[in-house]
Amino acid sequence: MMERYDLENRLEALQETGPPPEYGPELRNLAPLIRKFLPMDSNDLVTIKADQVLLRVSADILRLCSAIREPISSPLIVSGLTAARLNNFLTVVAAKTIQTQFSPSFGDWTSALHAAIQLGCGEIRTVAIDSMESQAAALQPVPLVQLGLKYHVPNWVIQGFTCLIERREPVSAEEGASLGMETGLAIYRSREALSRARSQSISKDDSCTTIGLINKEPSLRTPNFENLEELRFPAPSETLLDFADPSHNQSNLIDLLIGDTVWTVTIPTLGSTPYFLDRAERFNTPEGGQSPIVDLTGEVEKTELESYLLLVNARRFKHATEKSLGLNFQQWVGALRLATLFGHSEARRFAIGFLEHQLKQHDPFDVIDAAKACNVDEWLESQYIRIAEGRNFPSEEEGQRLGATSVLAVCNLREKVVYRSGKENGYRSGKEDGYRSGKEDGYRSGQEAEFQAGFDGGFKSGFDGGFKGGFDAGFKAGFEK
C-alpha cells in the first residue's frame, strides 16, 4: 500500500508543482497525439455530489443508468441517494475481473442494489441480486419477504411466503404485524388450508400445493412492491466546499505514450505497481497543457498495451463469466508479458491461470516462446516432451527458436523416447507372438489328447462290452441246454 500512495503523491506533485529537479528545467514538446481512453475508467470525468460528498467518476459509468440523462452536467448534484449507497454502487461497477480480494458484505450488496434501482442500472441490479442469492436464502422468512418487496425480487417474496405456510411453527404476532393485516391473514388461511389437506390425505392437485394456495390469495399472488425514492438533480451552486470521497475521486490520471499514441488511464487501473514510480515525466502537450506521461516507446508494442489494458480494466459485472475477454493466444501472451514487466501480480496470475487450460491447443514452440518471454518456467518441460514425442523431427528454424542447448536436450530426449517406444513395441510384439504360439500349441496338443482319449475310451468300451455280452449270452444258452 505504501508504494501506491508514494506513486499517487508523486503524480500529484507533478501535476501541482512541476517536475522534480532530476527531470531538469526543460520540458520536452510532444507532437500531435492520438488520444485513447478506457471505457468506464478515465474518459469524461464527472464530479458527483451526494449528501455532502464529492465523487469523481467516468461519465461512461453514468451512461449505464437510465435515471441520468444526457447531456451529463459536471458537477452533477444528486438528491435522494446517500453517498454511502452511491459509493457501494460505484465499487461494484469498478470491481475488476482480475481482483482476487473482492468480497462485499451482505449490507454492501444491499446498499449497491438500492442505488442500482434508484439509478435505473439493470446490469448492476442483476449482479447484486445474483450475488446476494445464497445469503438471502439463509434469512428468516419475514425479513426475506420484506427485502424482496423493497427491491422488487419476486423469488425472494415467494420463498418467504412458502416457508411461512409450510413450516410447523405458527406465525407469531410480531411476524404478522410486520407483514401487515391483509398479508398476515392470507398466510393464516393458506396454512389452515394446507393443514386440512394434509390431515384429510387430499391428493395434491394444483389447488392443494403451496404455490396453488399462494395463487388463490390476491395479496400473496400480487404483493404490493415498494417504490424507492425518486432521484432529483438540482442545479449546482457556485462553489462546492465539500468532502472528496477517497475511493471514487479519480484525480490521479497518467498518460502512457507509445510513438504518436497516448492512453489516459488511472493509477488503480495499472495496479499501483512500483514500475511507474520515478518514470513519470512532464511534457508540453499540443493542447497547451502539461501532463505526467510515461514513455513506453521501444519497450512496449501498441497491441500489447491494448491487450494489457483490456485485461486490467475488465469489469466483473461484464466479464465475470467471459474470461477470454475476446483475446486470442498471442494477445493473451502480450498482456501477460506486460503484467510481468509492470509487476502486476494479480493480472499475471489471472493470465497464467487462463492460458494453462489451453496450452495443448497451441504449437509447443509458440508456448515455449511465450514461457521464456513471460518467465513462466513451469510451462517448459511439458512442451519439450510434446516436441520429443512428436512425429516430426525439429526443423532448423525450430531449432533456432529453441536455442542450441534446448534443441540438443530435446534431441537426446527424443532418442530416449524412440528407444523406449521400440523396446516397448518389441516386448509387446514378442509377448503377443508367444501368446499366440502357446495358444496354438496348446490347442493342437489338447486336440490330439482328446482324440487319443476318445479312441482309447471307445476301444475299451467296445471291447469290454462285446466280450461281456458274448460271454453272458453263451453261458446262458449252455445252461438252458
Side-chain angles (χ1 to χ4, degrees):
M1 293 297 290
M2 184 62 68
E3 291 173 343
R4 171 180 176 178
Y5 292 125
D6 287 345
L7 179 54
E8 293 180 347
N9 292 336
R10 182 62 172 275
L11 292 176
E12 287 178 356
L14 282 173
Q15 292 168 335
E16 295 172 3
T17 64
E22 60 263 36
Y23 291 131
E26 295 184 2
L27 300 180
R28 294 167 55 189
N29 292 320
L30 288 179
L33 298 173
I34 301 171
R35 285 199 169 269
K36 293 189 176 184
F37 300 89
L38 298 181
M40 296 183 295
D41 190 4
S42 56
N43 190 13
D44 299 332
L45 291 175
V46 175
T47 299
I48 306 175
K49 178 182 177 182
D51 294 336
Q52 298 300 312
V53 180
L54 298 179
L55 304 96
R56 195 161 179 247
V57 299
S58 169
D60 288 336
I61 294 176
L62 302 181
R63 292 187 181 102
L64 297 172
C65 309
S66 61
I68 300 177
R69 293 179 173 80
E70 299 274 8
I72 301 173
S73 61
S74 182
L76 179 67
I77 313 300
V78 181
S79 177
L81 177 62
T82 67
R85 285 172 177 157
L86 181 56
N87 187 298
N88 283 314
F89 170 82
L90 293 174
T91 299
V92 172
V93 176
K96 303 296 197 302
T97 303
I98 62 172
Q99 286 179 337
T100 54
Q101 296 178 346
F102 178 70
S103 54
S105 66
F106 189 77
D108 293 337
W109 277 117
T110 304
S111 179
L113 174 59
H114 191 114
I117 293 174
Q118 284 188 294
L119 291 166
C121 184
E123 290 176 286
I124 301 303
R125 177 183 180 274
T126 300
V127 170
I129 291 173
D130 291 343
S131 301
M132 296 168 66
E133 200 70 55
S134 59
Q135 290 175 284
L139 294 175
Q140 292 296 318
V142 171
L144 181 59
V145 169
Q146 293 174 326
L147 195 69
L149 291 175
K150 184 173 184 177
Y151 296 120
H152 292 233
V153 188
N155 285 344
W156 293 352
V157 178
I158 296 299
Q159 289 174 28
F161 285 161
T162 300
C163 183
L164 289 170
I165 294 171
E166 292 182 347
R167 75 181 189 186
R168 293 187 178 277
E169 304 84 40
V171 178
S172 67
E174 292 80 5
E175 289 175 324
S178 299
L179 292 171
M181 180 67 74
E182 185 180 8
T183 302
L185 289 175
I187 292 291
Y188 277 114
R189 286 194 295 269
S190 299
R191 284 176 59 86
E192 183 177 322
L194 183 63
S195 178
R196 188 183 305 112
R198 286 173 174 172
S199 63
Q200 297 177 1
S201 299
I202 298 176
S203 61
K204 285 192 174 183
D205 54 26
D206 290 343
S207 62
C208 296
T209 62
T210 305
I211 294 298
L213 294 172
I214 289 174
N215 288 331
K216 280 185 176 181
E217 296 287 347
S219 60
L220 303 184
R221 184 177 66 251
T222 55
N224 294 321
F225 291 100
E226 300 178 26
N227 291 317
L228 301 181
E229 181 182 358
E230 289 189 10
L231 300 183
R232 300 180 301 281
F233 304 95
S237 58
E238 294 184 1
T239 58
L240 292 174
L241 300 176
D242 300 284
F243 170 71
D245 181 273
S247 302
H248 301 286
N249 190 39
Q250 299 181 0
S251 59
N252 293 316
L253 301 179
I254 189 170
D255 290 339
L256 305 179
L257 175 67
I258 302 178
D260 62 349
T261 306
V262 62
W263 287 261
T264 300
V265 298
T266 61
I267 290 302
T269 294
L270 297 176
S272 303
T273 63
Y275 175 87
F276 296 97
L277 189 63
D278 298 327
R279 292 179 62 94
E281 304 179 52
R282 286 172 63 85
F283 295 81
N284 290 322
T285 63
E287 294 84 0
Q290 295 178 354
S291 174
I293 292 182
V294 174
D295 191 351
L296 301 174
T297 304
E299 191 174 5
V300 173
E301 298 291 334
K302 291 182 181 180
T303 53
E304 288 182 316
L305 186 60
E306 291 276 9
S307 300
Y308 174 75
L309 292 178
L310 178 60
L311 170 62
V312 296
N313 196 53
R315 304 294 171 123
R316 278 180 179 260
F317 77 93
K318 282 184 170 293
H319 304 103
T321 57
E322 188 189 345
K323 286 191 174 183
S324 69
L325 306 182
L327 301 177
N328 60 34
F329 179 75
Q330 292 302 331
Q331 289 173 320
W332 269 106
V333 172
L336 174 56
R337 192 185 84 81
L338 293 197
T340 305
L341 176 66
F342 296 157
H344 196 320
S345 57
E346 289 184 347
R348 173 178 164 84
R349 185 163 48 248
F350 185 90
I352 289 174
F354 174 80
L355 287 171
E356 280 180 343
H357 296 294
Q358 52 170 291
L359 294 182
K360 291 183 178 180
Q361 303 172 20
H362 301 284
D363 183 82
F365 294 94
D366 291 339
V367 178
I368 290 173
D369 289 342
K372 291 179 178 179
C374 303
N375 297 331
V376 191
D377 294 340
E378 56 267 30
W379 289 355
L380 294 174
E381 182 179 352
S382 60
Q383 303 311 309
Y384 288 142
I385 293 174
R386 285 181 63 192
I387 296 172
E389 293 179 342
R391 289 181 174 273
N392 299 323
F393 196 83
S395 65
E396 183 177 346
E397 180 184 354
E398 291 170 338
Q400 291 176 349
R401 290 176 67 181
L402 292 178
T405 303
S406 296
V407 76
L408 289 176
V410 168
C411 290
N412 288 331
L413 181 60
R414 188 176 177 85
E415 282 186 6
K416 294 178 182 178
V417 170
V418 172
Y419 174 76
R420 184 170 61 248
S421 175
K423 187 176 180 181
E424 289 177 353
N425 290 335
Y427 174 76
R428 189 181 302 112
S429 175
K431 187 176 179 181
E432 290 176 354
D433 291 344
Y435 174 76
R436 191 182 303 111
S437 175
K439 185 177 179 181
E440 291 175 354
D441 290 345
Y443 175 76
R444 190 181 304 110
S445 175
Q447 193 178 40
E448 291 174 354
E450 185 178 351
F451 173 79
Q452 186 66 34
F455 177 80
D456 292 345
F459 177 79
K460 184 179 179 184
S461 175
F463 179 80
D464 291 348
F467 178 78
K468 186 179 180 184
F471 179 80
D472 290 345
F475 178 80
K476 183 177 181 184
F479 179 80
E480 289 176 350
K481 280 184 176 181

